[in-house]
Every structure is written in C-alpha cells, then in structure tokens.
C-alpha cells in the first residue's frame, strides 16, 4: 500500500485550510486491518465447510443413510444401508419431492442414490419396475429388489409416491428435480401463509407463468428506457427538467384515464358465455383495475399539487442538471458504475450462498428419529452462520461504499481541476486507484457503522415476524417504532456517509474527521440543501416515476389483451418493481453526482472568495445557478448577509 501517515492530527482544528487533491495519505488503517481479518474469517468458514466434506455432499448429494452419490462410502456405526458403493449411482432421487418442511427448510422425503432420473411420468409400480429394468436405475429403497416392486406389500412405503413426476438433474448438483411447476406452486402456497383462498394463489402463479415472456420483455423495456434517460440527461439537461415535468404529468393523467377506461369497459363486457372459473378471474381483474384506478387518481392529484408548489424552483434545477450533465460528458464511465457494482455484488452473493449451502451439509453424521442420517455441527462452530450473516451485510455495504467513494473521487477530481484538459485519461480508474491505495479503511469503517444499524433492525424484524399474532398491542407498537427509528437512522447515516466519503476524497482525512466536516458544511448550508439537493432529487424521482409509468402502461395494454384468462395483478407488480429497481440503479449515480457537486460547491464558497490566490473552482454555469438561487431566497425573505456579496467565478 506504500508509505502511510495519519491525517487525523492535521484535521482537528475547524479553521484548517482544505487542500483538495493534495497531501494524500492512508486513512483508518486499523479498520482496514480489521476488515481484512474479518474477510480471513469468512474464508476460514468456507474452507472449513469444504474440508469437512461438505463440498462433496453438496455437489454430489447424499442419500438418507449418509452415502455420497457417485462414489464409494465408509460404513457408519449403527446406521443401516451406510457404506454402500454408489459409483454408478450419481443422482439423488426423492421418493416424495413435493413434501416440504418449511420450518426446517428441507424436503421431508427419503433420498436415494439412483443411476438416472425418470424423464417421463411413471404412473404405476409396473412403470417404476420397467424403468429400473431398462435404465438400471432402482427408484425404490435399497432393501427392495426391482423384481419385488409389484409383489411386495412394503412397496407402498419403500417406493416413490405415485405418480412419479418427470424430473431432470439440476446442473452441477446431481439432484432429480420435478419438471412440472405444480410442486413449486405448492411450495409458494405454503410460504404465503396469509392467503386463505388457495385458488387465488394458483391463479396468481398461473398468471406469472403464462405471462413470463411479456414480463421478460417489459423488464428489458425498463432497462432500455433507463439507459435512454441517462443519455438524455447527459446531452439535453437544459430542457430535461421541463420535459420530465410535462411527461410525468401527462403520463399520470393518461395512465389514470386508461385505467378508468379499462375498468368501465370490463364492467360492461358480457359475462354470460364464460365459465365460472373465468368469471371469477374476470371479477378479480375488475377489482384490481378499480384499486389501480383509485390509487392512480390519488397519486396524480398529489403529484399535481407538489408540482404547483415547486414550480418556481424548477428553473433552478435546470442549471444543476446542466452541470451534472457536463460531469457525465467528461466522465462517461460513470454510467457503467451500476453494472460493475451489481456484478461485484452478484459474485459475492453467489460465494455467500454457496458457502451457506456448504455449511448446511457440513458436520458429523447423526441419526434422527426416523433412523436417517443428518449432518450437524456441535460446539461453538454451530454459530458460524451468525458470523456468515454479518459478513453478508458488512461486505455488501463495503462494496456499495466503494462505489460511492469511487464516484465521489472522480467527481471531486473533475470539480477541483481548474483546467479540464488536465483531467486524468480515465478519472474513474484514477479514483479506484486512490481508493485502493489510501481509503479502503475509511470505506470499511463507514460500511461497518451501517452494519451496526442494520443488524439490530433485522433482529427486531425477525422477532416481530415470529411473534406475529402473539404479542399484545403495546409490544407490537414498541417493536414497530424501534424498527422505524432504526430505519430512519440508517438512511441518515447513509447520507452522512456519502458526504463523508466526498470529504475524504477532497482532503484525505479519516472517516470521523470527514463525517464531522461534512456535517458542519451541510448544517451551514441547510437552506441550500433544502432548495438545491431536494429539488434535484425530486426531479430524479420524477424520472423514475416516468420509467415505471411507461413500463406499467405498456404492461397493462399487453396483459389486458392477451388471449388467456389469467390474473395479471402479480405480473404487473413484478414488472413495476423491476422497472423501479433498474431506474433507481441508473439514476442513483446521477443523484450521487449531484450530492458530490453540491458539497464541493459548498466547500469552494466557504474557503474561496474569488480574490487572487483564492479563486473559485466552480464553472460559470454553477455560479449562475447560485445567483438564481440567492435571488429566489431573497424573494422569499430568506436571504442572509453571507449571501449578499457577489460571487465571481474564475475565468477559465
């Protein structure tokens, strides 16, 4: 990492001068060492689960007697049918694969090692016997020969539940999984315990499966719309605010009108020629349309009132969007930051899930009440999964914080470089380099603070879910209040952390010093935070609303006119949630750039006055934005003495 020196001693005085992009030194080294040690512990858990044989049991699978499929096994004491040679039997087959135990998260069925999975449905024991004779794959218990399948009185217990569903091996995991989705529908039905009418759930799942092509197409549409909006923000930021405002208002009015029109049309449609099941589906769709129409009407009215209140400040946001758009022109790789972060998160989540699966199959063999084998960890090692869960939160937050620090470092470099021709060839990569060399400790500390808030909130949410229906009204109110307070604290810390990373990128101070400096700057500019940052975030929110409304409207038209009678409430919800998630991932980068620019501007105006030797770093467009903002605040009677002086940007 190179030579490092503490920067905290130089940052104690509130009167110190900020020196942007100078005096680089490593920050929060102890926290970086702690994070590295924690990651080593995560690696130990993964290595332990693999070394204890969990990897072979997870990948190859094992039967109910502790034998690993596809290899020779060692005899286990007092366990019948253990120690068998399964070299030719490479797949795990469950006698009743749909018998799920949701509490213990496992299949309540006898598992056997078989040579092949039944690719076609076997309706009778004769079919099971024929399958064993042709394929050499015995689907009944090891104690029963294939010739006895149709004659033995024990066949009903030792053979699979009839009919045996068609199944196929899961890639890389050698388990025979049913091809028919009805088994998974029952699983989802068991998960959603609040659904009293099972037929409703069946229709919802049927609607999702029937509309899966439409759902995928609409998700792709939301991705394309988000990328188009990013391009629009980059090149036509001056007119974007007005375009977004008009389109959102028109889209809300149009969407509301379409919903009411569809509701009126379906209400008048004849119902004499449909079956009772189709009539029930039509009534569900009509009820859903009414709920959607009322919700859209309320949303449109609220949105219109907000736009009326904020109409005078929309013009101020245009200049801010223009400056942020110039940042994206100089730093085009910022657009791809969500992809890299998402890719890193997916890689880590895959590793975390694989390790969790390893942990689920590690330990020593223990015979349960039914005489079958389970693998359990005893002693202190059985609490390793708690460590693993903390690792999920901390490392995920660490990856997100790395993105925030990378974006902050790149935007800070752009802002405090007077001559933009002297920018690094790739400011994003230069920011990543500074992050790795100097600020990983700061990122580790900031993400750990968020983790400390997330864990108690998750524990309280788990307690609340477990006590649902059992606690009294007072306890329920206290739990919900604590969860809400922790959620608000988490959001505030996230915002403060982001600004602390910006302060660290500017002056290379440790996390606590940067957080304190950022907090002071934000408090000193509270009015500007309210009038600039909030309005900008609101316009970006309108962009998200535009993408969700466009995708949702397309979904309504496509799902409403498909030929099959299916309930499309759940598919539409899935599409809208995905559209909002995609739009949020893209526009959050833009929102982050706006926040970083604002903090840089606040620091610039605090420590520079435009005089020789203390010239401003900001460009002329941002200065015009400040002048317009000051005029608006003066008109509202909120102007201060500090804002009365004329701010002149340095001529570039």
């Amino acid at each position: 990492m190179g030579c490092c020196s503490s920067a905290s001693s130089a940052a104690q005085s509130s009167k110190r001068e900020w020196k942007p992009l100078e005096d680089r030194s490593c920050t929060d080294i102890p926290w970086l060492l702690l994070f590295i040690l924690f990651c080593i512990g995560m690696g130990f858990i993964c290595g332990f689960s693999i070394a204890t044989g969990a990897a072979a049991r997870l990948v190859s699978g094992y039967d109910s007697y502790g034998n690993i499929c596809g290899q020779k096994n060692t005899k286990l004491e007092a366990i019948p049918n253990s120690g068998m040679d399964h070299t030719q039997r490479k797949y795990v087959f469950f006698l009743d694969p749909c018998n799920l135990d949701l509490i213990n998260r496992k299949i309540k069925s006898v598992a056997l090692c078989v040579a092949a999975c039944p690719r076609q449905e076997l309706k009778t024991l004769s079919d099971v016997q024929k399958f064993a004779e042709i394929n050499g794959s015995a689907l009944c218990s090891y104690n029963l020969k294939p010739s006895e399948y149709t004659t033995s009185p024990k066949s009903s217990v030792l053979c699979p539940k009839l009919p045996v569903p068609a199944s196929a091996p899961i890639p890389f995991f050698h388990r025979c999984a049913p091809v028919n989705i009805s088994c998974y529908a029952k699983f989802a039905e068991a998960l959603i315990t609040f659904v009293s009418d099972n037929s409703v759930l069946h229709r919802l799942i049927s609607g999702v499966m029937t509309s899966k092509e439409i759902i995928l197409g609409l998700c792709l549409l939301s991705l394309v719309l988000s990328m188009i909006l990013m391009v629009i923000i980059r090149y036509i930021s001056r007119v974007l605010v007005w375009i977004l405002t008009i389109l959102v208002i028109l889209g809300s009015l149009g969407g509301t009108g379409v919903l009411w029109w569809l509701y009126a049309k379906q209400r008048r449609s004849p119902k004499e020629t449909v079956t009772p099941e189709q009539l029930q589906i039509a009534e569900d769709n009509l009820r859903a349309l009414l709920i959607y129409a009322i919700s859209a009407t309320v949303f449109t009215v609220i949105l219109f009132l907000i736009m009326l209140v904020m109409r005078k400040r929309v013009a101020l946001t245009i200049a801010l969007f223009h400056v942020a758009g110039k940042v994206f022109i100089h730093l085009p790789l910022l657009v791809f930051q969500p992809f890299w972060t998402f890719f890193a998160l997916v890689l880590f989540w895959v590793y975390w899930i694989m390790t969790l699966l390893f942990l689920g199959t590690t330990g020593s063999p223990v015979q349960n009440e039914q005489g079958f084998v389970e693998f359990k960890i005893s002693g202190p090692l059985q609490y390793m999964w708690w460590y693993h869960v903390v690792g999920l939160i901390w490392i995920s937050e660490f990856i997100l914080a790395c993105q925030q620090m990378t974006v902050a470092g790149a935007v800070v470099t752009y802002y405090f470089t007077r001559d933009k021709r002297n920018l690094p060839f790739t400011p994003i990569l230069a920011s990543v380099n500074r992050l790795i060399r100097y600020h990983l400790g700061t990122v580790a500390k900031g993400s750990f603070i968020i983790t400390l808030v997330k864990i108690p909130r998750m524990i309280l949410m788990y307690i609340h879910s477990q006590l649902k229906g059992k606690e009294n009204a007072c306890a329920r109110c206290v739990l919900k209040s604590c969860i809400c307070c922790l959620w608000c604290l988490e959001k505030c810390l996230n915002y403060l952390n982001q600004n602390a990373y910006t302060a660290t990128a500017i002056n290379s101070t440790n996390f606590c010093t940067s957080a304190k400096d950022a907090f002071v700057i934000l408090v000193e500019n509270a009015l500007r935070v309210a009038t600039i940052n909030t309005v900008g975030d609101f316009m970006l929110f309108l962009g998200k609303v535009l993408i969700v409304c466009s995708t949702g409207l397309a979904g309504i038209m496509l799902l409403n006119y498909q030929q099959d009678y299916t309930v499309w409430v759940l598919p539409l919800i899935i599409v809208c949630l995905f559209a909002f998630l995609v739009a949020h991932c893209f526009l959050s980068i833009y929102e982050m750039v706006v926040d970083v620019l604002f903090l840089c501007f606040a620091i610039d105006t605090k420590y520079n006055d435009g005089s020789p030797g203390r010239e401003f770093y900001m460009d002329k467009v941002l200065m015009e934005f400040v002048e317009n903002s000051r005029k608006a605040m003066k008109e509202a009677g909120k102007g201060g003495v500090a804002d009365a002086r004329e701010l002149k940007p340095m001529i570039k």
Side-chain angles (χ1 to χ4, degrees):
M1 284 182 51
C3 181
C4 302
S5 60
S6 174
S8 59
S9 60
Q12 296 300 320
S13 174
S14 61
K15 298 181 179 181
R16 63 171 175 79
E17 289 291 327
W18 288 56
K19 298 179 180 180
L21 309 180
E22 297 180 13
D23 299 332
R24 289 290 167 195
S25 57
C26 291
T27 54
D28 294 299
I29 301 301
W31 282 95
L32 175 59
L33 297 177
L34 177 62
F35 182 75
I36 293 174
L37 289 175
F38 185 87
C39 291
I40 292 174
M42 293 284 290
F44 168 78
I45 292 176
C46 181
F48 171 80
S49 60
I50 295 175
T52 53
R57 286 195 288 270
L58 175 64
V59 176
S60 300
Y62 62 96
D63 61 16
S64 297
Y65 309 101
N67 300 301
I68 298 177
C69 300
Q71 68 179 48
K72 289 185 177 181
N73 295 274
T74 306
K75 177 69 176 178
L76 301 177
E77 185 177 356
I79 302 295
N81 293 326
S82 63
M84 300 183 67
D85 184 359
H86 287 325
T87 306
Q88 303 300 323
R89 300 172 179 175
K90 299 181 179 180
Y91 303 101
V92 180
F93 175 77
F94 298 97
L95 299 188
D96 188 5
C98 295
N99 189 4
L100 301 167
D101 183 359
L102 298 179
I103 298 177
N104 296 315
R105 300 175 297 278
K106 62 182 181 181
I107 298 176
K108 294 175 60 177
S109 170
V110 177
L112 304 174
C113 292
V114 298
C117 301
R119 296 304 182 103
Q120 295 181 347
E121 186 181 55
L122 306 177
K123 298 181 179 180
T124 63
L125 287 176
S126 298
D127 294 337
V128 176
Q129 186 180 50
K130 186 176 180 180
F131 179 81
E133 294 172 350
I134 296 176
N135 299 278
S137 183
L139 302 183
C140 295
S141 177
Y142 305 136
N143 300 326
L144 195 64
K145 298 179 181 180
S147 59
E148 300 174 346
Y149 285 1
T150 57
T151 58
S152 176
K154 299 181 180 179
S155 297
S156 59
V157 178
L158 301 180
C159 287
K161 183 179 179 181
L162 297 175
V164 179
S167 60
I170 300 176
F172 308 110
F173 288 98
H174 302 89
R175 269 78 167 178
C176 295
V179 177
N180 196 323
I181 65 166
S182 61
C183 184
Y184 308 114
K186 293 178 181 178
F187 176 68
E189 184 178 305
L191 278 178
I192 309 176
T193 56
F194 60 84
V195 177
S196 58
D197 184 6
N198 294 337
S199 61
V200 173
L201 183 61
H202 282 301
R203 291 199 299 272
L204 290 175
I205 296 175
S206 174
V208 173
M209 299 308 300
T210 305
S211 311
K212 57 182 180 296
E213 293 84 2
I214 296 178
I215 293 175
L216 292 176
L218 291 172
C219 291
L220 181 61
L221 174 64
S222 65
L223 180 62
V224 173
L225 290 176
S226 299
M227 298 185 70
I228 291 175
L229 186 58
M230 289 297 294
V231 174
I232 292 175
I233 290 175
R234 175 178 172 182
Y235 289 106
I236 59 170
S237 55
R238 285 187 178 275
V239 297
L240 175 65
V241 174
W242 295 112
I243 292 175
L244 279 177
T245 303
I246 295 172
L247 286 180
V248 167
I249 292 177
L250 293 179
S252 299
L253 292 174
T256 304
V258 168
L259 285 171
W260 282 112
W261 174 71
L262 290 175
Y263 172 74
K265 181 181 178 181
Q266 287 203 11
R267 189 176 181 181
R268 293 194 303 266
S269 62
K271 302 178 176 60
E272 293 82 5
T273 59
V274 297
T275 64
E277 183 179 357
Q278 292 174 344
L279 180 62
Q280 181 63 40
I281 293 175
E283 291 178 354
D284 291 340
N285 284 336
L286 186 66
R287 191 181 302 110
L289 274 174
L290 179 61
I291 295 174
Y292 284 151
I294 295 174
S295 302
T297 303
V298 174
F299 174 80
T300 301
V301 172
I302 294 175
L303 183 65
F304 188 72
L305 292 176
I306 293 176
M307 294 302 300
L308 285 177
V309 173
M310 304 185 71
R311 68 187 187 280
K312 294 183 179 180
R313 294 178 178 175
V314 170
L316 300 178
T317 311
I318 296 176
L320 183 60
F321 272 55
H322 180 73
V323 176
K326 292 177 67 176
V327 172
F328 280 93
I329 293 176
H330 286 86
L331 311 176
L333 292 181
L334 278 176
V335 179
F336 299 99
Q337 274 304 115
F339 289 107
W340 311 132
T341 303
F342 180 74
F343 181 70
L345 284 173
V346 168
L347 286 181
F348 170 68
W349 290 339
V350 169
Y351 158 81
W352 188 87
I353 292 173
M354 292 299 297
T355 304
L356 185 67
L357 293 175
F358 288 151
L359 283 175
T361 55
T362 192
S364 303
V366 178
Q367 191 173 16
N368 60 19
E369 296 82 1
Q370 290 78 28
F372 300 131
V373 172
E374 294 180 355
F375 294 91
K376 295 184 178 180
I377 305 176
S378 58
L381 294 178
Q382 61 182 314
Y383 301 107
M384 284 192 300
W385 71 277
W386 280 101
Y387 188 99
H388 197 56
V389 170
V390 174
L392 171 67
I393 302 173
W394 191 4
I395 298 179
S396 297
E397 291 295 329
F398 178 84
I399 294 173
L400 294 173
C402 284
Q403 173 183 266
Q404 294 175 348
M405 180 66 84
T406 299
V407 173
V411 177
V412 164
T413 300
Y414 168 83
Y415 187 96
F416 289 105
T417 300
R418 297 186 187 278
D419 189 354
K420 306 308 178 188
R421 293 173 296 182
N422 295 331
L423 283 171
F425 178 69
T426 53
I428 289 289
L429 296 181
S431 179
V432 172
N433 178 56
R434 287 195 301 272
L435 166 66
I436 295 174
R437 292 182 61 188
Y438 303 115
H439 304 313
L440 285 179
T442 298
V443 171
K445 187 174 183 178
S447 57
F448 181 76
I449 292 175
I450 300 298
T451 304
L452 287 182
V453 179
K454 275 183 174 291
I455 292 176
R457 184 167 68 88
M458 293 178 63
I459 293 175
L460 289 178
M461 291 175 65
Y462 176 77
I463 294 175
H464 181 263
S465 64
Q466 293 297 310
L467 296 179
K468 198 168 186 178
K470 300 178 182 178
E471 77 280 17
N472 55 37
C474 181
R476 183 168 58 251
C477 180
V478 171
L479 274 176
K480 289 185 176 179
S481 300
C482 292
I483 293 172
C484 182
C485 291
L486 288 174
W487 181 84
C488 294
L489 177 61
E490 180 185 334
K491 294 301 178 183
C492 293
L493 288 176
N494 270 321
Y495 182 73
L496 182 60
N497 277 12
Q498 180 179 324
N499 287 279
Y501 298 145
T502 303
T504 298
I506 295 174
N507 222 40
S508 193
T509 51
N510 60 40
F511 178 82
C512 292
T513 302
S514 299
K516 181 194 69 175
D517 293 337
F519 180 77
V520 171
I521 292 292
L522 293 175
V523 170
E524 291 176 350
N525 294 270
L527 289 178
R528 286 172 176 169
V529 170
T531 58
I532 297 174
N533 202 22
T534 304
V535 173
D537 292 347
F538 178 72
M539 298 312 301
L540 292 176
F541 170 74
L542 290 184
K544 300 174 186 178
V545 171
L546 176 62
I547 293 174
V548 173
C549 289
S550 301
T551 308
L553 184 60
I556 290 172
M557 302 304 295
L558 291 174
L559 292 169
N560 184 66
Y561 289 103
Q562 67 176 355
Q563 298 298 319
D564 298 327
Y565 281 92
T566 56
V567 179
W568 42 264
V569 176
L570 188 57
L572 188 61
I573 292 175
I574 293 173
V575 167
C576 290
L577 289 177
F578 184 83
F580 182 83
L581 178 63
V582 171
H584 176 74
C585 289
F586 278 91
L587 295 181
S588 63
I589 296 296
Y590 199 89
E591 183 178 345
M592 203 178 302
V593 170
V594 171
D595 291 337
V596 174
L597 281 174
F598 176 74
L599 190 64
C600 292
F601 156 75
I603 293 171
D604 193 11
T605 55
K606 180 176 182 179
Y607 291 98
N608 298 310
D609 56 9
S611 60
R614 299 183 65 184
E615 296 88 354
F616 291 113
Y617 288 90
M618 69 186 71
D619 57 22
K620 187 176 180 179
V621 176
L622 185 57
M623 190 60 64
E624 292 174 355
F625 170 73
V626 175
E627 292 293 340
N628 292 335
S629 178
R630 188 190 313 113
K631 290 178 183 178
M633 287 188 288
K634 283 183 178 180
E635 292 176 0
K638 298 181 180 179
V641 179
D643 290 333
R645 59 182 171 84
E646 182 181 2
L647 302 178
K648 298 180 179 180
M650 184 189 71
I651 299 176
K652 296 178 175 58

